Amino acid sequence: MTLVYVALGANLAEPKSQLDSACQALSRLSDSDFKVSRYYRSKPMGDVVQPDFVNAVAGFHTHLSAIALLDALQRIEHNQGRVRREHWGPRTLDLDIILYGAEHISTSRLTVPHMGMTQRSFVLVPLFELAPTLILPCGTPLKRYITPALQQELSVIEAPTHASYALAQ
């Protein structure tokens, strides 16, 4: 089994509900201990005018290979109405593998650790909530990236709707 972390984001079609549905689907990919951070509101990246995002990070163990997990995430996105129109544009759901164990993966379809994750508050803050002692595959403790300024970029919305998920403590 491999411990994976997946970033979730949505800003269309009731984003909190989109994340709740995605968590249900992700929990079915989990072999044990599915956890999800609180939901956070964040400003969109890029120059496209669009609503704020709702973001979270989920962590779980899986037997799926990295590519099989990517395929499963893309099916979940598709099932929830994801249409890829423009880079950094609005979306019903975005699911990204941010960490797949301690592996470094670089293929035409998948790069892990996720590119740019260390500059994105909407990834780092929820990931830190789930795994405050995590050492990134590069050998750097996650906590080194967590600053007060980074944390202030986000606002907590709420815990996931489904009480059956173990929340970060």
Side-chain angles (χ1 to χ4, degrees), residues 5-9 37-38 40-43 45 53-59 88 94-99 113-132 134 136 142 145-146 150-151 153-154:
Y5 291 98
V6 175
L8 299 85
S37 69
R38 294 175 292 174
Y40 293 85
R41 182 174 315 285
S42 69
K43 297 290 181 199
M45 293 179 64
F53 274 84
V54 176
N55 296 97
V57 168
W88 290 343
D94 188 24
L95 299 174
D96 291 319
I97 302 170
I98 53 175
L99 294 171
H114 191 277
M115 292 186 306
M117 71 174 270
T118 58
Q119 289 86 42
R120 296 178 177 167
S121 59
F122 58 86
V123 172
L124 291 174
V125 172
L127 178 60
F128 185 70
E129 184 179 317
L130 290 181
L134 180 70
L136 298 175
L142 175 61
Y145 293 100
I146 306 301
L150 185 86
Q151 291 173 311
E153 291 178 17
L154 305 176

Side-chain angles (χ1 to χ4, degrees), residues 47-74:
D47 297 328
V48 178
V49 176
Q50 59 186 310
D52 287 351
F53 274 84
V54 176
N55 296 97
V57 168
F60 55 94
H61 287 88
T62 186
H63 279 96
L64 294 175
S65 70
I67 293 298
L69 178 60
L70 176 63
D71 290 340
L73 298 182
Q74 290 178 342

